[in-house]
């Protein structure tokens, strides 16, 4: 929910986030402007000012625009694409109604986060483990224990009913 009334709760959800999905209504340019003006600036400090694990979802891609509005919509989406590309944010057309790209957005983001954690764990292991002040070594990405399904499968089953 991107409404202003939820803004005070955002830091609680942003804190310690491994990744973020920013969703806007592609039929309402002001919803994207709110992301650019409010939500992205609030999120970035919690993501170490990196967009590496942030993806943008242009929701309602299943709706057809009328011919008169089509040119304006194309200009708007071109602006969105340019801004996402400039920030290094992957843009996905999605539909909450039909489910188009919803699972793949989550899968791609989770895979990206887990791959980065795997690389980080390997670097720590090669350097002789974490230093005392760094805390314990991260859990090995992809496995919860020897017999359990992968972490990605568990997350996908929980959020996407797979």
């Amino acid at each position: 929910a991107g409404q202003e009334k939820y803004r005070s709760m955002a830091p609680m959800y942003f804190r310690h986030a491994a990744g973020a999905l920013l969703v806007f209504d592609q039929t309402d340019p002001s919803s994207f402007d709110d992301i650019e003006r409010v939500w992205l600036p609030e999120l970035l400090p919690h993501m170490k000012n990196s967009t590496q694990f942030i993806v943008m979802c242009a929701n309602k891609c299943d709706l057809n625009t009328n011919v008169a509005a089509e040119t304006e919509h194309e200009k708007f989406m071109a602006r969105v694409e340019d801004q996402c590309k400039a920030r290094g944010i992957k843009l996905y057309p999605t539909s909450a109604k039909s489910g188009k790209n919803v699972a793949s957005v989550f899968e791609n983001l989770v895979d990206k986060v887990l791959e980065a954690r795997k690389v980080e764990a390997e670097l720590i292991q090669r350097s002789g483990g974490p230093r005392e002040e760094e805390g314990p070594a991260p859990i090995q990405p992809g496995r919860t224990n020897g017999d359990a399904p992968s972490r990605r499968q568990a997350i996908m089953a929980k959020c996407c009913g797979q």
Side-chain angles (χ1 to χ4, degrees), residues 5 16 22 28 46 78 80 140 142 150 152:
K5 64 184 174 182
H16 306 297
L22 298 174
D28 179 10
H46 297 279
V80 168
Q140 183 177 4
S150 75
R152 178 175 172 265

Side-chain angles (χ1 to χ4, degrees), residues 79-95:
R79 177 173 66 97
V80 168
E81 289 171 14
D82 289 346
Q83 286 181 276
C84 287
K85 189 174 185 178
R87 289 185 180 272
I89 296 174
K90 180 98 169 138
L91 174 65
Y92 293 89
T94 59
S95 170

Side-chain angles (χ1 to χ4, degrees), residues 17 35 59 69 96 105 123 133 144:
I35 287 176
N59 199 34
V105 168
L123 289 172
E133 66 273 7
T144 52

